[in-house]
Amino acid sequence: MTTLKLLNYATDRWTAGTGPLTEVESAVTGDMIALTGSQGLDFAGMLRHARTVGGPALRRMTFHQRAWMLKDLANAVMARKEELYELSYDTGATRTDGWIDIEGGAGTLFSFSSKGRRELPNGRILIDGAMEPLSRGGSFVGQHVYTPLQGVAVHINAFNFPVWGMLEKLGPTLLAGVPAIVKPASSTGYLTEAAFRIMIEAGVLPPGALQLVMGGVGDLFDHLTLQDVVSFTGSAQTAMKLQTHPVIARESVRFIAERDSLNASILGPDAAPGTPEFDLFVKEVVREMTAKAGQKCTAIRRAMAPAEHIDAVEEALRQRLAKVKIGDPREEGVTMGALASRAQLTSVRAAVAELAKSARIVAGDPDTSPVAGNGAFMSPILLRTDDPWHAQAVHDVEAFGPVSTIMPYRDLDDAIALANRGMGSLALSLFTFDAQVAEDFVLGAGAYHGRMLILDRTSAKESTGHGSPLPVLVHGGPGRAGGGEEMGGVRGVTHYMQRTALQGAPAVLSSIVGQWLPGAPKVEGEVHPFRKRISELAIGDTLKTASRLVTLDDIEHFAAFTGDNFYAHMDEEAAKANPIFDGRVAHGYLILSFAAGLFVDPAPGPVLANTGLEHLRFLTPLYPGDSMRVELTVKSRSVRNEEMGEVRWAVYVFNQKDEIVASYDLLTMNLP
Ligand code: NAP
């Protein structure tokens, strides 16, 4: 194999590092396969380029445009995924490991693209929560909003997921409208560089949106400002070094840290041998030890079982581990590949030696390579301690490889306390079929863990497993895990934005956020708004309907027709006895139906379908003899594709005294 000369991508140009380059070896053969380095880069210039070229270009785009861009990037990665798999084998990864990294990475971009188009506006400002009334007359209100940071996201990634690690950070960053500088770990950066190159060659990114550093970051940190974000994934030691950089403290630079974690998995007190939960637990512990050769920040490092079942757990794990086939990940049938490098092998061996001072090895041999040659192979190592309260190392030392320690617990409180002894983790799993056990565990341990998987026989088949961070769920954890948070759908996007509390008149705030807010002007036109396409509708366009009387006959007819004979509509005495009503009242659903009858324009036209109601509240009872009228206002609109889009209407139903009877958002699909 020819040696790859890895390039940096700075100010929209591929640039070789000057000076001595670092040799990178194949995890499988130990042969040199790449040379990498970033010396000579102008880091201040890269930051400037991102801030002055990439940021403004991304911020000119709407959330939806950026979401479409993510989809194009994901498609580009998928179209050339085989090139990436080929390189991925050299990182020691099997095809399944590579799938998590490569297709899981693209899937994360797809997920953010979809979230962006469904949950974010087709605008540039994101509303956070509801409008807050701040004055009696309603002329002065508050609204929280998010706008993109105007700096750069510096992404420093760990070696274990060279593609996913980059893409899970880029998804939310680019969707937020922030340019990024990516710095992969040196040992597997050749795979990151290839995936990065595919995205650049897709030609969908604006200039300055992405840059790549294939080595050290030089003086980059010296030039960070309050508008920048550092998203770091890696060891606690490096995180500490970077987090305490004086510029980070002085400028209050946002620093998201994803560090190591002594994740726990607990066999519930009810999950005795022979139960489905026992088998699921054993399967999951082995899967977490061997997937990616255990080089997952979320892998199960501590497996806990009731003291009476610990021997059975050990035996079942040993049997299952004996079936693991270790070898060159390109070979058919291999279920566990190599560690990412020989340096990593050395470091895992050292960590196992540390663990072995307070726990004994019951399966595997850390010091003998299970595969001949110079590859970074290691057999899965299972350790056991029977006194977890006096074996501090098992709660402290992360062996970032196929290594896990089993330990007994006395009762649920003991299990909770042991799980929390990791002092903050990314993921915890509990195998129980007892809802009370699950509730007690969540209350006792929730504050110490970023994600909790509660697995039983009903969810196992479709479960995504203990170790998989998901784009729609928060990834990160307190304390030792770094205190950071990534992804979690739109939450992850806001990590790259600034929240600002706006105060002012509803009309002003409404035009800023591109959404009609209560108190903003309602504009009545000549044409019924149902006769307008989305492109012709303006925020605030309003229809004010005529009013209609609601009679007792109407209520009785509605009750007979629908079968809703609830006493509040049908029994005067019983309705009166109810503390809310003065007598029989109109059904809420009748009010909604009559409201539609008042505002609908019936002929075929731009409105295609009613897709739902949100935030429905009935505020004032409507009695027989009252009348009702409706005001229907365009609250927001968003084109989904060339065929249709969604209009959100603010609907208010008033009675003859102009009291609000009902309010809700009506959603319709309309022609664009
Ligand atoms: P690491 O040695 O701390 O390196 C992490 C990243 O930091 C690499 O890109 C590394 O680049 C870079 N780096 C190191 N020193 C730096 C410096 N002075 N300035 C700027 N960048 C610097 O960690 P690792 O060995 O790659 O990763 C393994 C660790 O990461 C494990 O402890 C694991 O638990 C943790 N991890 C956590 C998560 C999570 O989401 N919480 C995910 C994966 C891994 P070079 O490679 O070029 O040195």
Side-chain angles (χ1 to χ4, degrees):
M1 184 172 174
T2 48
T3 304
L4 299 166
K5 301 249 169 35
L6 305 178
L7 298 179
N8 305 279
Y9 191 71
T11 60
D12 298 311
R13 277 186 299 273
W14 290 102
T15 314
T18 56
L21 298 173
T22 305
E23 294 183 1
V24 182
E25 63 186 35
S26 161
V28 181
T29 61
D31 298 342
M32 201 230 311
I33 54 165
L35 287 167
T36 190
S38 61
Q39 268 193 38
L41 290 183
D42 170 9
F43 292 102
M46 289 175 74
L47 289 167
R48 200 164 44 244
H49 186 67
R51 289 183 191 125
T52 57
V53 178
L58 286 167
R59 292 198 296 277
R60 276 193 291 276
M61 299 164 77
T62 65
F63 285 108
H64 286 204
Q65 289 169 326
R66 296 193 290 258
W68 286 114
M69 179 179 78
L70 291 186
K71 188 166 184 184
D72 289 341
L73 294 176
N75 278 326
V77 170
M78 288 302 285
R80 293 173 61 182
K81 64 182 182 182
E82 291 307 326
E83 296 168 36
L84 300 177
Y85 274 114
E86 205 39 56
L87 289 170
S88 173
Y89 290 128
D90 273 306
T91 69
T94 62
R95 179 91 190 181
T96 309
D97 297 336
W99 182 86
I100 302 169
D101 189 32
I102 297 160
E103 302 193 40
T108 302
L109 288 186
F110 281 128
S111 173
F112 274 99
S113 172
S114 158
K115 283 259 167 204
R117 284 174 285 126
R118 280 171 201 284
E119 295 178 27
L120 298 177
N122 193 14
R124 288 176 285 207
I125 292 180
L126 175 61
I127 287 188
D128 176 40
M131 193 198 80
E132 296 290 345
L134 299 176
S135 62
R136 205 176 276 264
S139 67
F140 184 66
V141 298
Q143 177 68 59
H144 291 97
V145 297
Y146 283 104
T147 56
L149 289 177
Q150 296 180 14
V152 187
V154 177
H155 293 171
I156 301 181
N157 297 330
F159 70 82
N160 57 338
F161 286 107
V163 182
W164 177 86
M166 168 170 66
L167 299 184
E168 61 102 9
K169 288 188 169 112
L170 283 183
T173 303
L174 291 172
L175 191 50
V178 177
I181 296 177
V182 178
K183 184 250 171 297
S186 296
S187 58
T188 55
Y190 52 92
L191 178 50
T192 313
E193 194 234 39
F196 186 96
R197 189 177 286 274
I198 289 171
M199 293 197 291
I200 296 298
E201 288 173 3
V204 296
L205 288 158
L210 286 191
Q211 301 182 76
L212 180 70
V213 176
M214 293 302 301
V217 294
D219 63 354
L220 186 138
F221 273 59
D222 295 340
H223 306 285
L224 294 178
T225 73
L226 77 162
Q227 290 298 312
D228 303 319
V229 185
V230 177
S231 280
F232 170 82
T233 302
S235 64
Q237 205 182 1
T238 312
M240 171 107 86
K241 190 160 152 197
L242 298 179
Q243 202 159 11
T244 52
H245 190 286
V247 173
I248 299 285
R250 195 183 68 218
E251 305 290 322
S252 301
V253 178
R254 282 190 205 185
F255 193 97
I256 301 169
E258 296 296 345
R259 307 192 314 211
D260 54 21
S261 172
L262 272 295
N263 312 292
S265 186
I266 292 96
L267 182 70
D270 54 304
T275 61
E277 286 71 29
F278 182 92
D279 297 340
L280 291 167
F281 172 77
V282 169
K283 200 166 143 194
E284 196 68 2
V285 172
V286 171
R287 184 158 75 142
E288 287 299 311
M289 286 176 73
T290 54
K292 199 74 195 172
Q295 299 163 108
K296 290 201 305 185
C297 53
T298 47
I300 298 170
R301 303 287 172 215
R302 300 176 297 147
M304 301 167 186
E308 64 271 29
H309 302 320
I310 194 76
D311 291 337
V313 164
E314 179 188 326
E315 186 50 33
L317 286 173
R318 275 153 48 117
Q319 279 180 21
R320 225 181 155 96
L321 286 170
K323 293 186 195 141
V324 175
K325 183 153 186 263
I326 307 160
D328 182 336
R330 286 184 176 87
E331 274 173 27
E332 193 73 22
V334 163
T335 53
M336 188 174 108
L339 298 179
S341 63
R342 280 183 295 181
Q344 190 55 23
L345 179 62
T346 307
S347 125
V348 176
R349 281 180 174 156
V352 171
E354 202 52 41
L355 288 169
K357 288 181 191 163
S358 46
R360 62 184 198 282
I361 295 173
V362 292
D365 171 2
D367 299 318
T368 312
S369 175
V371 179
N374 286 330
F377 294 96
M378 180 182 216
S379 55
I381 309 295
L382 186 68
L383 297 108
R384 171 172 171 166
T385 171
D386 289 303
D387 186 8
W389 284 105
H390 296 99
Q392 188 52 34
V394 304
H395 308 290
D396 257 358
V397 176
E398 183 202 41
F400 201 61
V403 182
S404 191
T405 304
I406 57 170
M407 61 197 78
Y409 66 82
R410 291 187 300 273
D411 53 25
L412 201 62
D413 285 344
D414 195 43
I416 290 169
L418 283 172
N420 295 351
R421 197 143 184 208
M423 300 313 286
S425 91
L426 296 169
L428 173 143
S429 52
L430 171 66
F431 292 73
T432 182
F433 197 45
D434 181 330
Q436 190 58 52
V437 166
E439 184 187 331
D440 291 347
F441 216 98
V442 169
L443 260 171
Y448 282 79
H449 309 277
R451 179 165 59 81
M452 294 175 93
L453 163 73
I454 296 139
L455 206 74
D456 66 26
R457 62 198 76 177
T458 65
S459 58
K461 200 157 165 227
E462 292 192 304
S463 160
T464 48
H466 168 106
S468 307
L470 298 172
V472 295
L473 299 185
V474 158
H475 173 59
R480 163 169 194 146
E485 220 183 52
E486 290 183 331
M487 302 195 292
V490 168
R491 285 177 195 84
V493 180
T494 59
H495 295 152
Y496 296 93
M497 306 185 86
Q498 175 64 41
R499 180 171 27 212
T500 304
L502 300 183
Q503 292 174 281
V508 175
L509 300 197
S510 182
S511 85
I512 292 171
V513 300
Q515 178 172 313
W516 182 84
L517 299 173
K522 294 182 170 182
V523 183
E524 281 182 279
E526 300 285 306
V527 182
H528 191 293
F530 273 29
R531 310 257 35 102
K532 293 183 180 177
R533 299 174 78 102
I534 293 181
S535 55
E536 298 161 330
L537 283 172
I539 303 294
D541 275 0
T542 297
L543 173 78
K544 295 187 178 174
T545 72
S547 83
R548 73 168 287 168
L549 191 67
V550 178
T551 66
L552 196 59
D553 269 359
D554 291 330
I555 295 171
E556 290 184 345
H557 178 81
F558 190 83
F561 182 51
T562 61
D564 179 352
N565 290 300
F566 189 62
Y567 73 88
H569 317 305
M570 301 304 288
D571 180 338
E572 185 70 16
E573 285 311 304
K576 265 204 180 112
N578 175 318
I580 296 171
F581 303 124
D582 298 335
R584 293 171 71 177
V585 291
H587 305 65
Y589 298 115
L590 176 146
I591 294 168
L592 295 182
S593 304
F594 279 0
L598 287 167
F599 65 66
V600 156
D601 182 81
V607 179
L608 304 174
N610 168 358
T611 54
L613 304 182
E614 282 183 5
H615 314 305
L616 171 62
R617 285 285 178 276
F618 294 111
L619 299 162
T620 311
L622 196 74
Y623 295 102
D626 283 348
S627 58
M628 58 175 273
R629 64 180 183 85
V630 182
E631 293 185 8
L632 177 81
T633 302
V634 176
K635 187 169 181 180
S636 66
R637 67 244 192 289
S638 150
V639 174
R640 198 168 275 180
N641 54 40
E642 284 171 8
E643 287 170 1
M644 61 183 83
E646 187 180 78
V647 181
R648 181 177 286 268
W649 310 81
V651 184
Y652 288 88
V653 179
F654 297 94
N655 64 15
Q656 68 280 6
K657 291 186 253 173
D658 281 340
E659 293 164 330
I660 300 173
V661 171
S663 70
Y664 53 98
D665 283 3
L666 164 70
L667 305 175
T668 60
M669 291 309 285
N670 289 37
L671 292 176

